[in-house]
C-alpha cells in the first residue's frame, strides 16, 4: 500500500510543480466562473431599484415593498435604467420631485414603473402595483378618519394597530418551470459547479500526456525495478490520476466559495460527488494515456474530448434549457450525472438518498473506464514506445 501511495503522491507533485498548469488549472476556471456569473447569474431576480427624491413617498413605498419580500436598492435615474436593462433589477421605480411633493400634499401622484425582461419581472411588477395600491388605500383611510373627527396622529396609530393579515393578500406564484428550477440559486453557484465538471475532466484528460511521458522516459520501467509489481504501478497511477482530479475540483470549490460566496450546499455530499466524478475522470485519463503514444496527440484529444463532453453534458449551458431529447442524450456523459447531483444538493437541499442514483451511474462509469485503462496500461508496459 505504501508503494501505491508513494507513486500517487509523486504523480500529484509532478502535476502541481508543472508551471504550465498555473493558468489552466488555477486562474482560468475562476475567470470563467466570474464571467458566467456576471453575465447569466440569477442574482437579484426580485430586486427593485428606486430612483428619485427622498421623502415621505419614498420611505413609505420602500417599506411596503420590503414588507412584500422584495429587495430594494437606490440609484440615480440613469443608473436605475441601466440596472433594469442589464437584468440586474427586475423593475425600476422613478419618483419625481413633483410626485413626492404631490404625495406630501395629499394630491394625486404619478409614479413611473419600468419593468425588466427577466422571467420574474411580471410578478415583481404586480407586487409593486399592490404596494402602490396599499399606499393609496391608506391615504383614503386617513382622510376618512380625519373627516370623522380623528386627529392625524390618532388616525395613523389606529391604522398601524390593525392586524397585518387582516385584509386580502396577494400571493404571487411563478409557474415558469425554469424559473422555479433556478429559484434561490446564487449568482455564481451554477457557473461554479459547471466549471468544476468541465475542468476536472479537462485537466485529467489533458494530463494523460504525463502518463505517456512517464512511459517514454522510462519512469514506469524504473519504478518496476523497485520492489513493486505491475499491479502496484497500475494502482498507483489510478490513485495519482484520481488525486489530481480531486485536487482540481477541491480547489475550484474552495476558491469559488472564498471569492464569490458560492453555496455548495451540504459540503460532505458535494465532496462525495466530486470524488465520484474524479474517479470517472481518472479512468478516462488512464484510457487516453495508455492508448496513445504521442504527447501532442493526447493533449489535443484530451482538450477536444473534454470540451465536447462538457458541451453535451451541461458543463457550458444549463441542462434545464435543453430539449427533452437533448437531455436524454446528455446523460451519456458523466457531466450530466454530476450536474444533476450538484443541482440536487445545491438547489433542493437533497440528501444522500436523493443523489444515490447519480452516484451509482458515476461509479459504474468509473469501474468500466478504470478496468479498461488498467488493462491498457499493463499492456503498454510490455511494449516499447
Amino acid at each position: 500500500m505504501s508503494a501505491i501511495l508513494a507513486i500517487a503522491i509523486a504523480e500529484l507533485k509532478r502535476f502541481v510543480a508543472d508551471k504550465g498548469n498555473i493558468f489552466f488549472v488555477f486562474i482560468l476556471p475562476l475567470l470563467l466562473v466570474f464571467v458566467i456569473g456576471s453575465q447569466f447569474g440569477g442574482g437579484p431576480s426580485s430586486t427593485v431599484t428606486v430612483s428619485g427624491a427622498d421623502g415621505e413617498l419614498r420611505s413609505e413605498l420602500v417599506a411596503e415593498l420590503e414588507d412584500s419580500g422584495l429587495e430594494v436598492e437606490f440609484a440615480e435615474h440613469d443608473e436605475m435604467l441601466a440596472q433594469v436593462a442589464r437584468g440586474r433589477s427586475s423593475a425600476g421605480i422613478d419618483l419625481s420631485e413633483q410626485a413626492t411633493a404631490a404625495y406630501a400634499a395629499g394630491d394625486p401622484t404619478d409614479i413611473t414603473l419600468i419593468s425588466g425582461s427577466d422571467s420574474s419581472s411580471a410578478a415583481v411588477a404586480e407586487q409593486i402595483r399592490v404596494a402602490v395600491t396599499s399606499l393609496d388605500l391608506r391615504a383614503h383611510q386617513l382622510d376618512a378618519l380625519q373627516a370623522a373627527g380623528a386627529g392625524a396622529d390618532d388616525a395613523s396609530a389606529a391604522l398601524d394597530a390593525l392586524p397585518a393579515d387582516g385584509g386580502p393578500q396577494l400571493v404571487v406564484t411563478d409557474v415558469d418551470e425554469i424559473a422555479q428550477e433556478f429559484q434561490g440559486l446564487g449568482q455564481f453557484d451554477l457557473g461554479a459547479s459547471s466549471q468544476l465538471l468541465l475542468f476536472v475532466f479537462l485537466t485529467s484528460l489533458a494530463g494523460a500526456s504525463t502518463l505517456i511521458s512517464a512511459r517514454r522516459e522510462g519512469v514506469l520501467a524504473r519504478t518496476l525495478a523497485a520492489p513493486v509489481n505491475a499491479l502496484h504501478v497500475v494502482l498507483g497511477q489510478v490513485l495519482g490520476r484520481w488525486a489530481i482530479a480531486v485536487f482540481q475540483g477541491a480547489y475550484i470549490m474552495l476558491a469559488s466559495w472564498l471569492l464569490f460566496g458560492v453555496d455548495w450546499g451540504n459540503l460532505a455530499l458535494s465532496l462525495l460527488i466530486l470524488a465520484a466524478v474524479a474517479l470517472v475522470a481518472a479512468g478516462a485519463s488512464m484510457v487516453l494515456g495508455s492508448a496513445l503514444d504521442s504527447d501532442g496527440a493526447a493533449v489535443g484529444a484530451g482538450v477536444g474530448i473534454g470540451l465536447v463532453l462538457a458541451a453535451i453534458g451541461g458543463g457550458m449551458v444549463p441542462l434545464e434549457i435543453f430539449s427533452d431529447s437533448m437531455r436524454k442524450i446528455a446523460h451519456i456523459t458523466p457531466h450530466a450525472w454530476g450536474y444533476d447531483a450538484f443541482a440536487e444538493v445545491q438547489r433542493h437541499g437533497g440528501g444522500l438518498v436523493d443523489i444515490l442514483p447519480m452516484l451509482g451511474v458515476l461509479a459504474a462509469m468509473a469501474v468500466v473506464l478504470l478496468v479498461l485503462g488498467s488493462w491498457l496500461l499493463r499492456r503498454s508496459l510490455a511494449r516499447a514506445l
Side-chain angles (χ1 to χ4, degrees), residues 242 271-281 358-359 362-363 366:
W242 180 79
L271 289 173
L272 185 59
I273 298 169
L274 170 61
V277 168
L279 206 55
V280 183
M358 299 82 159
L359 294 179
L362 289 171

Side-chain angles (χ1 to χ4, degrees), residues 1-377:
M1 187 64 185
S2 59
I4 296 172
L5 280 176
I7 295 171
I9 292 172
E11 287 297 317
L12 183 59
K13 285 182 176 178
R14 288 180 60 198
F15 172 77
V16 175
D18 187 350
K19 294 182 180 178
N21 287 331
I22 292 177
F23 178 77
F24 186 71
V25 174
F26 297 104
I27 300 176
L28 184 58
L30 298 182
L31 279 177
L32 291 178
V33 170
F34 174 75
V35 171
I36 292 173
S38 301
Q39 296 295 321
F40 305 109
S45 59
S46 296
T47 298
V48 178
T49 302
V50 177
S51 68
D54 194 6
E56 185 181 0
L57 173 59
R58 192 172 88 167
S59 59
E60 293 187 3
L61 179 58
V62 168
E64 289 285 347
L65 294 174
E66 291 178 337
D67 286 345
S68 64
L70 295 173
E71 182 179 345
V72 180
E73 295 180 350
F74 301 99
E76 297 298 326
H77 179 75
D78 290 345
E79 185 181 351
M80 178 269 290
L81 294 177
Q83 294 284 346
V84 176
R86 293 169 182 167
R88 295 176 180 172
S89 289
S90 295
I93 297 175
D94 182 45
L95 304 175
S96 64
E97 292 184 0
Q98 293 82 358
T100 301
Y103 184 80
D107 297 331
T109 306
D110 293 328
I111 296 175
T112 303
L113 167 65
I114 298 97
S115 185
S117 57
D118 63 61
S119 58
S120 62
S121 294
V124 171
E126 195 60 34
Q127 288 178 275
I128 294 172
R129 293 189 183 95
V130 171
V132 173
T133 302
S134 297
L135 280 185
D136 185 53
L137 175 62
R138 181 181 174 88
H140 283 87
Q141 289 173 328
L142 285 173
D143 289 342
L145 289 173
Q146 292 179 46
D153 293 338
D154 292 338
S156 181
L159 292 177
D160 291 339
L162 290 174
D165 56 351
Q169 295 184 351
L170 174 70
V171 178
V172 179
T173 301
D174 196 333
V175 297
D176 187 298
E177 291 184 2
I178 293 180
Q180 289 179 342
E181 188 66 33
F182 294 123
Q183 193 170 24
L185 198 63
Q187 184 177 7
F188 298 99
D189 292 1
L190 182 62
S193 58
S194 298
Q195 296 312 301
L196 182 148
L197 294 168
L198 169 63
F199 276 93
V200 163
F201 278 90
L202 266 184
T203 302
S204 298
L205 292 174
S209 61
T210 61
L211 183 56
I212 297 173
S213 299
R215 290 161 52 205
R216 173 179 291 109
E217 295 167 2
V219 175
L220 296 184
R222 290 195 295 274
T223 303
L224 284 172
V228 296
N229 56 36
L231 179 61
H232 288 150
V233 174
V234 170
L235 292 178
Q237 288 295 326
V238 169
L239 190 58
R241 302 289 116 191
W242 180 79
I244 290 171
V246 168
F247 177 85
Q248 170 76 92
Y251 165 76
I252 293 175
M253 290 179 69
L254 177 62
S256 62
W257 173 66
L258 290 174
L259 295 177
F260 308 121
V262 170
D263 181 8
W264 289 95
N266 186 310
L267 183 58
L269 293 180
S270 290
L271 289 173
L272 185 59
I273 298 169
L274 170 61
V277 168
L279 206 55
V280 183
S285 176
M286 288 280 292
V287 171
L288 196 62
S290 303
L292 299 180
D293 294 339
S294 167
D295 300 7
V299 172
V303 172
I305 293 172
L307 291 176
V308 170
L309 289 177
I312 296 174
M316 297 181 182
V317 179
L319 286 179
E320 286 77 6
I321 66 174
F322 282 21
S323 65
D324 290 342
S325 57
M326 194 60 209
R327 286 200 69 176
K328 291 178 181 176
I329 295 173
H331 283 82
I332 63 173
T333 70
H335 299 65
W337 293 98
Y339 181 98
D340 287 344
F342 276 123
E344 192 65 39
V345 172
Q346 278 187 295
R347 305 177 208 167
H348 310 304
L352 179 60
V353 175
D354 299 307
I355 62 172
L356 273 181
M358 299 82 159
L359 294 179
V361 173
L362 289 171
M365 289 180 173
V367 168
V368 171
L369 288 171
L370 287 172
V371 170
L372 177 60
S374 299
W375 178 70
L376 289 172
L377 181 59

